[in-house]
Structures are given as C-alpha cells and as structure tokens.
Amino acid sequence: MEKTISFIGAGKMAEAIISGLLSSKKLTNAQIIISDKYDKRRIEIEETYNVRSTPDNAACVKEGDVVFIAVKPQDVEGVLEQCKGKLGQKLVVSIAAGVDIAFIESILDKQTRIIRVMPNISVTVGEGMSVIIKNNSADATDINLLKELLSSVGDVIELKNEGLFHAVTALSGSGPAYVFMFLEALSDAGVRMGLSREISNRLAIQTVIGAGKMAKESELSFATLREAVTSPAGTTAEALAVLESKSIRSAIVEAVKAATLKSKEMSTRS
Ligand SMILES: NC(=O)c1ccc[n+]([C@@H]2O[C@H](COP(=O)([O-])OP(=O)(O)OC[C@H]3O[C@@H](n4cnc5c(N)ncnc54)[C@H](OP(=O)(O)O)[C@@H]3O)[C@@H](O)[C@H]2O)c1
C-alpha cells in the first residue's frame, strides 16, 4: 500500500492498530507518523515501532493521506479544530466512541471525507471487531482502504445506518466485559467443584476461544452447534436447563438493551 497514515493520539488503540499494520506488513515503518501531546508516550511509541513522530499535530496531519483521530472523545473537538483547513483530499478516520459524523462535519465540513470507526479492545491482540461508517463525501474506495487497514487487527464490518452504532457499542464495544464476567463465573464454578484456580482459568479460557472459533468457522447456527454437544439426558442438558431456569438469555438481552439506551442517552447529553 502506498499511503502514509497519521495518528493524532498515540494511546492504547493507536498502538494496537500500528502494531497490527506493521506485523501484517501492509505498511512500512516509514509510512506511519504519530503525534501525541504527551511527549514521553510519543517517544515510547516512536522507539518501540520505529515509526516517525512529531509533537505538532498539524505537522502530523500534513504528512498523512489518512488521518486517524485516536484521542479520547473529550479531546476530539480540540484536535479537529487544529486539523481544520489542513485536510484537503485527506481521509479522516475517527475512532472516538460516541462521537458521531455530524459532530465531526460541524467542525470540519461536509466535503471532508470522513469514516467513523467503533473498534473494541480486542484489537490489542489482533482479534478486534471494528464497525465502520462513512459520510457522504467518502466513497467505496475509502471504505475498502479502511477495511484493508483494520483487518490487520481483526474483523471489519461496514454499516450504512449510524443510528445502529448505539447497538454496536452495546454488543461488540462493551462485549469483551461480558465475556470476562462469564469467564470469571466459569472459573469460580470450576474452583467450587475442586479444580485449582490455574487449571480452572485455563479450561474456561480455552473453552471460550474454541467455541468462538467453531461458531466463526461453521456454517451451522449457534443453536445447532449447541444441540450437537447436548446429548439427551446428559450433563450438558442438565447444565443448560439450569441456565434457562435462571433466564440467562433474557438477562443478556436486557443487558445489551440497557447499554444501547445508555449510549443513546450519553450522545444526546453531549
Ligand atoms: N479502549 C477501548 O476499548 C476503545 C474502544 C472503542 C473506541 N475507543 C476510542 O479510542 C480512542 C482512543 O482510546 P485509547 O484507549 O487509545 O485512549 P488513550 O490511551 O487515552 O490515548 C489517547 C492519547 O491521545 C493523547 N492526546 C490527548 N489529547 C491530545 C491532543 N490534543 N493532541 C495529541 N494527542 C492527544 C493522550 O494524551 P494524554 O494521556 O496526555 O491526554 C493519549 O496519549 C477514544 O476516543 C476511545 O473512545 C476505545
């Protein structure tokens, strides 16, 4: 790929994406430039990944064909003000949670090509879920470029309806926390049944990884996969009956609904 990518903000998420891009060999070190207001962090990333860096956001913007806004949501407005008027034909990519396209356009302009991304924390291990949406000025080539870049840190899906980003936030954005809670409970259960914590943790983790991989690779529905490991009157059936009696399904649906509503509420408040 010929493009140069600028990252304004060199925090956790930017580092994960830079690391993925370099290990996938989609870009060379010289094609990445970062800026961060925190000098120590900027130099740490520059040295770790052998990328270029500058303390000056405007200089960083100038270098890139694609400009990632990778600062915390509350810092986005200030960064966009600094970028204003310097973007020309550059593609702007915001990964800030809860910052919608209309807000970005209100500071830049509608002619700027903009893509909003909702990634999740698992990009840090190359297994993230990133959902992307473009504004009217960006085109299919921009979407394909983003898909190619972000596929180095996991799966990527394009949505056409930005209103659904609240549901995305609630499902894949917050989802890793639900899985961690499930892992905690599974491991606690193993300990209660006599396994050591270490063995219980390993069993729980590998079970979640393996089931996730099967679900991803199989053409079968989740329900069919579940039935395939549930012998009549067997141990799994016994456990599933308890889970059903405790309403696990409706608890999960209610949880995702509550997170979706919270995301909507937070965006109308700001
Ligand atoms: N972490 C997640 O799971 C997750 C998931 C989805 C989306 N996101 C989004 O990803 C974005 C980045 O998150 P993160 O976890 O990587 O945050 P982070 O680790 O705090 O990184 C942001 C970096 O940008 C720097 N920065 C702040 N203002 C700046 C400015 N004006 N110019 C240049 N650099 C500036 C910060 O420096 P200081 O520390 O000195 O302020 C920090 O080093 C956020 O908007 C978040 O909503 C994160």
Side-chain angles (χ1 to χ4, degrees):
M1 190 183 294
E2 298 289 294
K3 311 276 183 200
T4 295
I5 316 288
S6 303
F7 287 88
I8 313 292
K12 266 198 312 289
M13 298 303 269
E15 177 174 10
I17 298 169
I18 290 168
S19 168
L21 288 171
L22 293 175
S23 9
S24 68
K25 310 238 180 289
K26 287 192 172 139
L27 295 176
T28 62
N29 311 60
Q31 288 174 282
I32 295 175
I33 179 159
I34 60 162
S35 64
D36 195 293
K37 70 173 186 195
Y38 185 36
D39 268 346
K40 188 165 171 279
R41 174 68 183 170
R42 176 176 62 79
I43 289 160
E44 182 187 313
I45 298 295
E46 177 187 330
E47 290 176 351
T48 308
Y49 298 95
N50 191 24
V51 294
R52 293 183 292 147
S53 95
T54 165
D56 178 6
N57 287 346
C60 188
V61 167
K62 192 165 170 235
E63 294 281 317
D65 302 298
V66 180
V67 179
F68 271 80
I69 311 293
V71 296
K72 290 277 187 218
Q74 64 270 22
D75 296 320
V76 168
E77 186 171 356
V79 167
L80 291 176
E81 291 289 352
Q82 289 178 320
C83 294
K84 204 172 170 172
K86 302 181 181 72
L87 290 160
Q89 284 311 299
K90 298 172 195 294
L91 174 65
V92 174
V93 178
S94 165
I95 65 166
V99 177
D100 63 20
I101 286 180
F103 179 81
I104 302 172
E105 285 181 339
S106 74
I107 298 176
L108 304 176
D109 58 56
K110 287 190 172 42
Q111 278 68 52
T112 306
R113 286 149 56 221
I114 299 165
I115 292 184
R116 175 183 175 191
V117 184
M118 181 64 205
N120 73 7
I121 192 66
S122 308
V123 293
T124 53
V125 292
E127 288 292 348
M129 183 68 243
S130 300
V131 179
I132 62 178
I133 187 161
K134 69 175 190 66
N135 74 341
N136 288 333
S137 296
D139 58 21
T141 312
D142 297 323
I143 285 288
N144 287 338
L145 173 69
L146 248 282
K147 281 186 177 167
E148 190 179 350
L149 293 173
L150 292 174
S151 65
S152 62
V153 285
D155 199 2
V156 191
I157 285 184
E158 179 194 7
L159 282 188
K160 307 275 188 187
N161 174 358
E162 195 176 16
L164 292 173
F165 264 56
H166 299 296
V168 168
T169 303
L171 202 164
S172 55
S174 305
Y178 316 152
V179 177
F180 294 139
M181 186 185 263
F182 178 70
L183 283 170
E184 276 181 86
L186 204 54
S187 174
D188 283 352
V191 170
R192 194 134 176 235
M193 294 303 113
L195 298 170
S196 72
R197 175 63 69 187
E198 194 194 348
I199 290 178
S200 220
N201 283 350
R202 268 179 74 179
L203 265 55
I205 290 168
Q206 190 56 31
T207 301
V208 168
I209 292 175
K213 198 165 179 204
M214 281 181 72
K216 186 171 182 175
E217 291 177 2
S218 174
E219 305 264 290
L220 302 173
S221 70
F222 301 158
T224 308
L225 287 169
R226 174 179 50 72
E227 280 163 17
V229 286
T230 312
S231 331
T235 55
T236 311
E238 206 64 21
L240 291 176
V242 173
L243 289 175
E244 294 286 10
S245 74
K246 303 273 181 193
S247 305
I248 188 167
R249 287 173 197 266
S250 61
I252 292 169
V253 172
E254 288 302 311
V256 173
K257 190 172 161 193
T260 305
L261 292 176
K262 184 75 180 181
S263 170
K264 281 186 186 159
E265 188 190 312
M266 286 168 77
S267 73
T268 50
R269 232 188 283 140
S270 56

PDB file of all heavy atoms in Angstrom, residues 72-103:
ATOM      1  N   LYS A  72      -9.047  10.600  23.211  1.00  0.00           N
ATOM      2  CA  LYS A  72     -10.282  10.353  23.959  1.00  0.00           C
ATOM      3  C   LYS A  72     -11.396  11.258  23.420  1.00  0.00           C
ATOM      4  O   LYS A  72     -11.113  12.379  22.952  1.00  0.00           O
ATOM      5  CB  LYS A  72     -10.059  10.693  25.442  1.00  0.00           C
ATOM      6  CG  LYS A  72      -9.147   9.705  26.139  1.00  0.00           C
ATOM      7  CD  LYS A  72      -9.916   8.477  26.581  1.00  0.00           C
ATOM      8  CE  LYS A  72      -9.059   7.564  27.417  1.00  0.00           C
ATOM      9  NZ  LYS A  72      -9.336   6.142  27.110  1.00  0.00           N
ATOM     10  N   PRO A  73     -12.663  10.820  23.528  1.00  0.00           N
ATOM     11  CA  PRO A  73     -13.767  11.604  22.968  1.00  0.00           C
ATOM     12  C   PRO A  73     -13.759  13.081  23.374  1.00  0.00           C
ATOM     13  O   PRO A  73     -14.008  13.955  22.551  1.00  0.00           O
ATOM     14  CB  PRO A  73     -15.007  10.883  23.519  1.00  0.00           C
ATOM     15  CG  PRO A  73     -14.552   9.472  23.709  1.00  0.00           C
ATOM     16  CD  PRO A  73     -13.106   9.537  24.107  1.00  0.00           C
ATOM     17  N   GLN A  74     -13.427  13.343  24.642  1.00  0.00           N
ATOM     18  CA  GLN A  74     -13.466  14.755  25.097  1.00  0.00           C
ATOM     19  C   GLN A  74     -12.363  15.610  24.460  1.00  0.00           C
ATOM     20  O   GLN A  74     -12.422  16.835  24.505  1.00  0.00           O
ATOM     21  CB  GLN A  74     -13.415  14.847  26.633  1.00  0.00           C
ATOM     22  CG  GLN A  74     -12.145  14.344  27.268  1.00  0.00           C
ATOM     23  CD  GLN A  74     -12.184  12.844  27.615  1.00  0.00           C
ATOM     24  OE1 GLN A  74     -12.967  12.086  27.043  1.00  0.00           O
ATOM     25  NE2 GLN A  74     -11.338  12.417  28.529  1.00  0.00           N
ATOM     26  N   ASP A  75     -11.342  14.967  23.867  1.00  0.00           N
ATOM     27  CA  ASP A  75     -10.258  15.726  23.237  1.00  0.00           C
ATOM     28  C   ASP A  75     -10.454  15.881  21.722  1.00  0.00           C
ATOM     29  O   ASP A  75      -9.659  16.542  21.047  1.00  0.00           O
ATOM     30  CB  ASP A  75      -8.909  15.019  23.490  1.00  0.00           C
ATOM     31  CG  ASP A  75      -8.550  14.989  24.974  1.00  0.00           C
ATOM     32  OD1 ASP A  75      -8.794  16.007  25.654  1.00  0.00           O
ATOM     33  OD2 ASP A  75      -8.044  13.968  25.451  1.00  0.00           O
ATOM     34  N   VAL A  76     -11.509  15.247  21.185  1.00  0.00           N
ATOM     35  CA  VAL A  76     -11.694  15.234  19.728  1.00  0.00           C
ATOM     36  C   VAL A  76     -11.915  16.645  19.173  1.00  0.00           C
ATOM     37  O   VAL A  76     -11.313  17.040  18.172  1.00  0.00           O
ATOM     38  CB  VAL A  76     -12.866  14.293  19.332  1.00  0.00           C
ATOM     39  CG1 VAL A  76     -13.250  14.482  17.875  1.00  0.00           C
ATOM     40  CG2 VAL A  76     -12.478  12.844  19.600  1.00  0.00           C
ATOM     41  N   GLU A  77     -12.771  17.415  19.857  1.00  0.00           N
ATOM     42  CA  GLU A  77     -13.124  18.734  19.343  1.00  0.00           C
ATOM     43  C   GLU A  77     -11.875  19.593  19.128  1.00  0.00           C
ATOM     44  O   GLU A  77     -11.680  20.179  18.060  1.00  0.00           O
ATOM     45  CB  GLU A  77     -14.092  19.418  20.310  1.00  0.00           C
ATOM     46  CG  GLU A  77     -14.607  20.729  19.767  1.00  0.00           C
ATOM     47  CD  GLU A  77     -15.732  21.319  20.627  1.00  0.00           C
ATOM     48  OE1 GLU A  77     -16.164  20.665  21.607  1.00  0.00           O
ATOM     49  OE2 GLU A  77     -16.157  22.437  20.303  1.00  0.00           O
ATOM     50  N   GLY A  78     -11.000  19.628  20.138  1.00  0.00           N
ATOM     51  CA  GLY A  78      -9.774  20.430  20.043  1.00  0.00           C
ATOM     52  C   GLY A  78      -8.883  19.972  18.902  1.00  0.00           C
ATOM     53  O   GLY A  78      -8.333  20.796  18.152  1.00  0.00           O
ATOM     54  N   VAL A  79      -8.775  18.659  18.739  1.00  0.00           N
ATOM     55  CA  VAL A  79      -7.926  18.122  17.669  1.00  0.00           C
ATOM     56  C   VAL A  79      -8.519  18.473  16.297  1.00  0.00           C
ATOM     57  O   VAL A  79      -7.798  18.879  15.376  1.00  0.00           O
ATOM     58  CB  VAL A  79      -7.754  16.589  17.841  1.00  0.00           C
ATOM     59  CG1 VAL A  79      -7.165  15.961  16.595  1.00  0.00           C
ATOM     60  CG2 VAL A  79      -6.874  16.291  19.049  1.00  0.00           C
ATOM     61  N   LEU A  80      -9.853  18.360  16.168  1.00  0.00           N
ATOM     62  CA  LEU A  80     -10.480  18.686  14.878  1.00  0.00           C
ATOM     63  C   LEU A  80     -10.285  20.162  14.538  1.00  0.00           C
ATOM     64  O   LEU A  80     -10.043  20.514  13.386  1.00  0.00           O
ATOM     65  CB  LEU A  80     -11.976  18.342  14.903  1.00  0.00           C
ATOM     66  CG  LEU A  80     -12.323  16.850  14.953  1.00  0.00           C
ATOM     67  CD1 LEU A  80     -13.828  16.656  15.079  1.00  0.00           C
ATOM     68  CD2 LEU A  80     -11.795  16.103  13.732  1.00  0.00           C
ATOM     69  N   GLU A  81     -10.364  21.016  15.565  1.00  0.00           N
ATOM     70  CA  GLU A  81     -10.119  22.454  15.329  1.00  0.00           C
ATOM     71  C   GLU A  81      -8.715  22.674  14.779  1.00  0.00           C
ATOM     72  O   GLU A  81      -8.504  23.504  13.903  1.00  0.00           O
ATOM     73  CB  GLU A  81     -10.306  23.262  16.631  1.00  0.00           C
ATOM     74  CG  GLU A  81     -11.737  23.357  17.130  1.00  0.00           C
ATOM     75  CD  GLU A  81     -12.641  24.260  16.265  1.00  0.00           C
ATOM     76  OE1 GLU A  81     -12.133  24.932  15.352  1.00  0.00           O
ATOM     77  OE2 GLU A  81     -13.866  24.246  16.516  1.00  0.00           O
ATOM     78  N   GLN A  82      -7.755  21.877  15.292  1.00  0.00           N
ATOM     79  CA  GLN A  82      -6.377  22.015  14.808  1.00  0.00           C
ATOM     80  C   GLN A  82      -6.226  21.509  13.368  1.00  0.00           C
ATOM     81  O   GLN A  82      -5.366  21.945  12.626  1.00  0.00           O
ATOM     82  CB  GLN A  82      -5.419  21.204  15.692  1.00  0.00           C
ATOM     83  CG  GLN A  82      -5.225  21.786  17.072  1.00  0.00           C
ATOM     84  CD  GLN A  82      -4.305  20.900  17.902  1.00  0.00           C
ATOM     85  OE1 GLN A  82      -4.375  19.674  17.862  1.00  0.00           O
ATOM     86  NE2 GLN A  82      -3.429  21.525  18.662  1.00  0.00           N
ATOM     87  N   CYS A  83      -7.058  20.524  13.003  1.00  0.00           N
ATOM     88  CA  CYS A  83      -6.959  19.906  11.663  1.00  0.00           C
ATOM     89  C   CYS A  83      -7.647  20.745  10.585  1.00  0.00           C
ATOM     90  O   CYS A  83      -7.302  20.683   9.402  1.00  0.00           O
ATOM     91  CB  CYS A  83      -7.643  18.540  11.649  1.00  0.00           C
ATOM     92  SG  CYS A  83      -6.855  17.309  12.671  1.00  0.00           S
ATOM     93  N   LYS A  84      -8.641  21.513  11.054  1.00  0.00           N
ATOM     94  CA  LYS A  84      -9.493  22.300  10.153  1.00  0.00           C
ATOM     95  C   LYS A  84      -8.658  23.093   9.133  1.00  0.00           C
ATOM     96  O   LYS A  84      -7.690  23.735   9.510  1.00  0.00           O
ATOM     97  CB  LYS A  84     -10.274  23.274  11.026  1.00  0.00           C
ATOM     98  CG  LYS A  84     -11.523  23.773  10.476  1.00  0.00           C
ATOM     99  CD  LYS A  84     -12.211  24.563  11.583  1.00  0.00           C
ATOM    100  CE  LYS A  84     -13.378  25.312  11.021  1.00  0.00           C
ATOM    101  NZ  LYS A  84     -14.148  25.918  12.090  1.00  0.00           N
ATOM    102  N   GLY A  85      -9.064  23.016   7.871  1.00  0.00           N
ATOM    103  CA  GLY A  85      -8.388  23.801   6.845  1.00  0.00           C
ATOM    104  C   GLY A  85      -7.089  23.184   6.368  1.00  0.00           C
ATOM    105  O   GLY A  85      -6.431  23.699   5.463  1.00  0.00           O
ATOM    106  N   LYS A  86      -6.663  22.057   6.974  1.00  0.00           N
ATOM    107  CA  LYS A  86      -5.385  21.448   6.580  1.00  0.00           C
ATOM    108  C   LYS A  86      -5.605  20.095   5.920  1.00  0.00           C
ATOM    109  O   LYS A  86      -4.660  19.381   5.620  1.00  0.00           O
ATOM    110  CB  LYS A  86      -4.495  21.235   7.818  1.00  0.00           C
ATOM    111  CG  LYS A  86      -4.199  22.511   8.578  1.00  0.00           C
ATOM    112  CD  LYS A  86      -3.293  22.254   9.778  1.00  0.00           C
ATOM    113  CE  LYS A  86      -3.014  23.537  10.552  1.00  0.00           C
ATOM    114  NZ  LYS A  86      -4.185  24.026  11.326  1.00  0.00           N
ATOM    115  N   LEU A  87      -6.887  19.737   5.710  1.00  0.00           N
ATOM    116  CA  LEU A  87      -7.143  18.348   5.319  1.00  0.00           C
ATOM    117  C   LEU A  87      -7.184  18.101   3.815  1.00  0.00           C
ATOM    118  O   LEU A  87      -6.821  17.013   3.365  1.00  0.00           O
ATOM    119  CB  LEU A  87      -8.433  17.867   5.991  1.00  0.00           C
ATOM    120  CG  LEU A  87      -8.257  17.693   7.503  1.00  0.00           C
ATOM    121  CD1 LEU A  87      -9.589  17.695   8.222  1.00  0.00           C
ATOM    122  CD2 LEU A  87      -7.485  16.417   7.804  1.00  0.00           C
ATOM    123  N   GLY A  88      -7.635  19.095   3.030  1.00  0.00           N
ATOM    124  CA  GLY A  88      -7.672  18.915   1.571  1.00  0.00           C
ATOM    125  C   GLY A  88      -8.349  17.610   1.203  1.00  0.00           C
ATOM    126  O   GLY A  88      -9.476  17.341   1.599  1.00  0.00           O
ATOM    127  N   GLN A  89      -7.630  16.759   0.457  1.00  0.00           N
ATOM    128  CA  GLN A  89      -8.205  15.486  -0.009  1.00  0.00           C
ATOM    129  C   GLN A  89      -7.958  14.328   0.954  1.00  0.00           C
ATOM    130  O   GLN A  89      -8.210  13.170   0.628  1.00  0.00           O
ATOM    131  CB  GLN A  89      -7.603  15.142  -1.385  1.00  0.00           C
ATOM    132  CG  GLN A  89      -8.178  15.975  -2.526  1.00  0.00           C
ATOM    133  CD  GLN A  89      -9.699  15.998  -2.507  1.00  0.00           C
ATOM    134  OE1 GLN A  89     -10.348  14.958  -2.624  1.00  0.00           O
ATOM    135  NE2 GLN A  89     -10.298  17.177  -2.343  1.00  0.00           N
ATOM    136  N   LYS A  90      -7.451  14.628   2.143  1.00  0.00           N
ATOM    137  CA  LYS A  90      -7.126  13.543   3.081  1.00  0.00           C
ATOM    138  C   LYS A  90      -8.394  12.877   3.615  1.00  0.00           C
ATOM    139  O   LYS A  90      -9.434  13.511   3.726  1.00  0.00           O
ATOM    140  CB  LYS A  90      -6.303  14.094   4.257  1.00  0.00           C
ATOM    141  CG  LYS A  90      -4.966  14.687   3.843  1.00  0.00           C
ATOM    142  CD  LYS A  90      -4.297  15.385   5.005  1.00  0.00           C
ATOM    143  CE  LYS A  90      -3.159  16.292   4.568  1.00  0.00           C
ATOM    144  NZ  LYS A  90      -2.022  15.610   3.987  1.00  0.00           N
ATOM    145  N   LEU A  91      -8.243  11.608   3.973  1.00  0.00           N
ATOM    146  CA  LEU A  91      -9.354  10.876   4.585  1.00  0.00           C
ATOM    147  C   LEU A  91      -9.208  10.946   6.101  1.00  0.00           C
ATOM    148  O   LEU A  91      -8.150  10.628   6.640  1.00  0.00           O
ATOM    149  CB  LEU A  91      -9.307   9.408   4.112  1.00  0.00           C
ATOM    150  CG  LEU A  91     -10.301   8.438   4.754  1.00  0.00           C
ATOM    151  CD1 LEU A  91     -11.743   8.819   4.400  1.00  0.00           C
ATOM    152  CD2 LEU A  91     -10.014   7.002   4.279  1.00  0.00           C
ATOM    153  N   VAL A  92     -10.272  11.399   6.786  1.00  0.00           N
ATOM    154  CA  VAL A  92     -10.234  11.493   8.255  1.00  0.00           C
ATOM    155  C   VAL A  92     -10.946  10.278   8.848  1.00  0.00           C
ATOM    156  O   VAL A  92     -12.064   9.952   8.445  1.00  0.00           O
ATOM    157  CB  VAL A  92     -10.946  12.789   8.724  1.00  0.00           C
ATOM    158  CG1 VAL A  92     -11.049  12.839  10.242  1.00  0.00           C
ATOM    159  CG2 VAL A  92     -10.197  14.009   8.205  1.00  0.00           C
ATOM    160  N   VAL A  93     -10.275   9.626   9.790  1.00  0.00           N
ATOM    161  CA  VAL A  93     -10.847   8.432  10.420  1.00  0.00           C
ATOM    162  C   VAL A  93     -10.912   8.674  11.925  1.00  0.00           C
ATOM    163  O   VAL A  93      -9.875   8.839  12.569  1.00  0.00           O
ATOM    164  CB  VAL A  93      -9.972   7.186  10.141  1.00  0.00           C
ATOM    165  CG1 VAL A  93     -10.561   5.959  10.836  1.00  0.00           C
ATOM    166  CG2 VAL A  93      -9.832   6.948   8.635  1.00  0.00           C
ATOM    167  N   SER A  94     -12.122   8.702  12.470  1.00  0.00           N
ATOM    168  CA  SER A  94     -12.245   8.894  13.924  1.00  0.00           C
ATOM    169  C   SER A  94     -12.597   7.567  14.584  1.00  0.00           C
ATOM    170  O   SER A  94     -13.529   6.889  14.153  1.00  0.00           O
ATOM    171  CB  SER A  94     -13.338   9.915  14.225  1.00  0.00           C
ATOM    172  OG  SER A  94     -13.683   9.836  15.600  1.00  0.00           O
ATOM    173  N   ILE A  95     -11.846   7.232  15.647  1.00  0.00           N
ATOM    174  CA  ILE A  95     -12.174   6.006  16.380  1.00  0.00           C
ATOM    175  C   ILE A  95     -12.798   6.336  17.740  1.00  0.00           C
ATOM    176  O   ILE A  95     -12.962   5.456  18.580  1.00  0.00           O
ATOM    177  CB  ILE A  95     -10.937   5.089  16.567  1.00  0.00           C
ATOM    178  CG1 ILE A  95      -9.877   5.753  17.457  1.00  0.00           C
ATOM    179  CG2 ILE A  95     -10.347   4.678  15.239  1.00  0.00           C
ATOM    180  CD1 ILE A  95      -8.817   4.764  17.937  1.00  0.00           C
ATOM    181  N   ALA A  96     -13.116   7.610  17.949  1.00  0.00           N
ATOM    182  CA  ALA A  96     -13.621   8.032  19.267  1.00  0.00           C
ATOM    183  C   ALA A  96     -15.044   7.532  19.520  1.00  0.00           C
ATOM    184  O   ALA A  96     -15.952   7.783  18.720  1.00  0.00           O
ATOM    185  CB  ALA A  96     -13.581   9.554  19.360  1.00  0.00           C
ATOM    186  N   ALA A  97     -15.227   6.849  20.636  1.00  0.00           N
ATOM    187  CA  ALA A  97     -16.541   6.306  20.977  1.00  0.00           C
ATOM    188  C   ALA A  97     -17.545   7.440  21.174  1.00  0.00           C
ATOM    189  O   ALA A  97     -17.237   8.451  21.817  1.00  0.00           O
ATOM    190  CB  ALA A  97     -16.436   5.477  22.248  1.00  0.00           C
ATOM    191  N   GLY A  98     -18.723   7.293  20.602  1.00  0.00           N
ATOM    192  CA  GLY A  98     -19.816   8.239  20.841  1.00  0.00           C
ATOM    193  C   GLY A  98     -19.726   9.545  20.065  1.00  0.00           C
ATOM    194  O   GLY A  98     -20.613  10.378  20.196  1.00  0.00           O
ATOM    195  N   VAL A  99     -18.671   9.731  19.280  1.00  0.00           N
ATOM    196  CA  VAL A  99     -18.559  10.987  18.513  1.00  0.00           C
ATOM    197  C   VAL A  99     -19.113  10.724  17.117  1.00  0.00           C
ATOM    198  O   VAL A  99     -18.531   9.943  16.350  1.00  0.00           O
ATOM    199  CB  VAL A  99     -17.090  11.461  18.436  1.00  0.00           C
ATOM    200  CG1 VAL A  99     -16.978  12.710  17.581  1.00  0.00           C
ATOM    201  CG2 VAL A  99     -16.544  11.713  19.839  1.00  0.00           C
ATOM    202  N   ASP A 100     -20.258  11.354  16.792  1.00  0.00           N
ATOM    203  CA  ASP A 100     -20.882  10.995  15.515  1.00  0.00           C
ATOM    204  C   ASP A 100     -20.362  11.843  14.358  1.00  0.00           C
ATOM    205  O   ASP A 100     -19.667  12.849  14.543  1.00  0.00           O
ATOM    206  CB  ASP A 100     -22.416  10.985  15.618  1.00  0.00           C
ATOM    207  CG  ASP A 100     -22.996  12.349  15.952  1.00  0.00           C
ATOM    208  OD1 ASP A 100     -22.303  13.360  15.750  1.00  0.00           O
ATOM    209  OD2 ASP A 100     -24.149  12.400  16.419  1.00  0.00           O
ATOM    210  N   ILE A 101     -20.747  11.401  13.157  1.00  0.00           N
ATOM    211  CA  ILE A 101     -20.247  12.055  11.938  1.00  0.00           C
ATOM    212  C   ILE A 101     -20.715  13.509  11.860  1.00  0.00           C
ATOM    213  O   ILE A 101     -19.941  14.394  11.483  1.00  0.00           O
ATOM    214  CB  ILE A 101     -20.667  11.229  10.698  1.00  0.00           C
ATOM    215  CG1 ILE A 101     -19.797   9.964  10.638  1.00  0.00           C
ATOM    216  CG2 ILE A 101     -20.526  12.044   9.420  1.00  0.00           C
ATOM    217  CD1 ILE A 101     -20.069   9.046   9.486  1.00  0.00           C
ATOM    218  N   ALA A 102     -21.968  13.764  12.264  1.00  0.00           N
ATOM    219  CA  ALA A 102     -22.482  15.144  12.198  1.00  0.00           C
ATOM    220  C   ALA A 102     -21.621  16.080  13.040  1.00  0.00           C
ATOM    221  O   ALA A 102     -21.355  17.223  12.641  1.00  0.00           O
ATOM    222  CB  ALA A 102     -23.934  15.177  12.682  1.00  0.00           C
ATOM    223  N   PHE A 103     -21.149  15.603  14.197  1.00  0.00           N
ATOM    224  CA  PHE A 103     -20.298  16.437  15.056  1.00  0.00           C
ATOM    225  C   PHE A 103     -18.972  16.739  14.350  1.00  0.00           C
ATOM    226  O   PHE A 103     -18.508  17.886  14.336  1.00  0.00           O
ATOM    227  CB  PHE A 103     -20.040  15.726  16.394  1.00  0.00           C
ATOM    228  CG  PHE A 103     -19.151  16.511  17.317  1.00  0.00           C
ATOM    229  CD1 PHE A 103     -19.677  17.542  18.085  1.00  0.00           C
ATOM    230  CD2 PHE A 103     -17.785  16.236  17.404  1.00  0.00           C
ATOM    231  CE1 PHE A 103     -18.850  18.292  18.928  1.00  0.00           C
ATOM    232  CE2 PHE A 103     -16.954  16.979  18.245  1.00  0.00           C
ATOM    233  CZ  PHE A 103     -17.487  18.009  19.007  1.00  0.00           C
TER     234      PHE A 103
END
